[in-house]
Amino acid sequence: MNHFTKVVKTVLGIFLGTMILCMGVLTLKGYKEYRDALAEKPLEQSLEEVFQKEDFISLSEISPIYKDALIAVEDHRFYNHPGVDVIAIGRAVVNDLRAGALVEGGSTITQQLAKNIYFSQEKSFSRKIAEVFMAMKIESEYSKEEILDLYVNSIYYGDGYYTLKSACEGYFGKEPEAMNDYECTLLVGVPNAPSVYAPTASMELAEKRQNQVLEAMLRQGMIDEEDKQMILAQEAAGDSGFFIVFRFSVLFPSYLCVRA
């Protein structure tokens, strides 16, 4: 029995040692990717390019429900972490190990911003580590509100739209300031998978994603069930005239040549 215990301890020791060594190598590789990215283009220059976009818009200019919905569904601990959510990463690591692949990222809004600005969509452990370093640097130099503004003006909304303003004008035919709560919660869900959730791809799937957004808001206590039903009723009651035309154009494209 003592011999068996020693063997088990030895095997576990080798396994843990190997894991620590691998993590060390990946961390060094990720740090190098982070440093190389900054060497190619400094952070201030990269983010200033976003601020200077012609169609840049601040979240302070539109309905506050957009920001609430965004935080609820993408990063509900946004205001309580330094760019990296340890709890979310821990959950993602467990799920990734179970799957034997990177199936869940645990990325914060700041990490997503770092990826959008500096890195490709490649999924690798070293790339995730590079994103962590970049996210922490962003958080050390920019306010939370600036990070949110940078995020909504650099993510992809589908159909060639890379800013909140262009997506709002393209999908709803209006300025972001004029969005109602239904449109806000619908648009927030699109960047998760634009090819799937864009209204032009599938209104049914877009609305399913919107329901996930509203359920996240419910869990965070941002709205109650009555609020949720009122938001959904806005579109059902035809509050957004654009959607009446839009739905018709999707169902009967040959009968509509000009978009509202």
Side-chain angles (χ1 to χ4, degrees), residues 35-199:
R35 295 301 302 172
D36 288 346
L38 286 179
E40 185 173 337
K41 182 181 286 189
L43 181 62
E44 183 178 1
Q45 180 183 344
S46 294
L47 299 190
E48 187 60 28
E49 290 177 359
V50 180
F51 281 123
Q52 294 303 319
K53 284 184 177 181
E54 185 177 348
D55 52 0
F56 179 93
I57 188 169
S58 172
L59 286 178
S60 63
E61 300 176 47
I62 67 175
S63 171
I65 197 171
Y66 191 96
K67 182 170 75 170
D68 288 345
L70 173 64
I71 291 172
V73 76
E74 291 292 342
D75 185 1
H76 66 271
R77 284 184 285 269
F78 176 71
Y79 286 106
N80 299 315
H81 63 62
V84 181
D85 188 340
V86 177
I87 297 173
I89 288 178
R91 182 190 65 241
V93 167
V94 171
N95 291 334
D96 290 343
L97 289 174
R98 286 175 178 171
L102 280 171
V103 296
E104 184 176 340
S107 295
T108 63
I109 285 175
T110 317
Q111 284 176 261
Q112 293 179 54
L113 172 63
K115 178 173 65 177
N116 293 337
I117 298 298
Y118 277 105
F119 305 112
S120 68
Q121 299 301 311
E122 173 194 350
K123 290 186 177 182
S124 69
F125 286 108
S126 62
R127 178 55 52 84
K128 295 300 294 184
I129 291 170
E131 289 174 14
V132 166
F133 281 117
M134 191 68 73
M136 294 180 71
K137 181 172 178 60
I138 291 172
E139 290 265 352
S140 71
E141 298 184 17
Y142 293 84
S143 71
K144 290 287 189 179
E145 302 311 314
E146 287 175 322
I147 290 169
L148 288 173
D149 286 344
L150 287 161
Y151 177 79
V152 300
N153 285 281
S154 62
I155 54 175
Y156 186 52
Y157 293 86
D159 281 21
Y161 306 133
Y162 282 90
T163 66
L164 173 59
K165 180 178 172 66
S166 63
C168 183
E169 291 174 346
Y171 290 133
F172 307 137
K174 60 173 66 175
E175 294 294 316
E177 300 93 321
M179 280 194 296
N180 61 28
D181 292 349
Y182 178 93
E183 292 159 341
C184 283
T185 54
L186 184 80
L187 189 57
V188 162
V190 173
N192 180 260
S195 63
V196 177
Y197 298 129

Side-chain angles (χ1 to χ4, degrees), residues 10-57:
T10 301
V11 171
L12 286 175
I14 293 173
F15 175 76
L16 290 174
T18 303
M19 288 292 292
I20 292 171
L21 179 62
C22 288
M23 285 303 300
V25 171
L26 288 172
T27 299
L28 288 174
K29 184 179 179 183
Y31 182 74
K32 183 179 185 302
E33 290 181 27
Y34 154 73
R35 295 301 302 172
D36 288 346
L38 286 179
E40 185 173 337
K41 182 181 286 189
L43 181 62
E44 183 178 1
Q45 180 183 344
S46 294
L47 299 190
E48 187 60 28
E49 290 177 359
V50 180
F51 281 123
Q52 294 303 319
K53 284 184 177 181
E54 185 177 348
D55 52 0
F56 179 93
I57 188 169

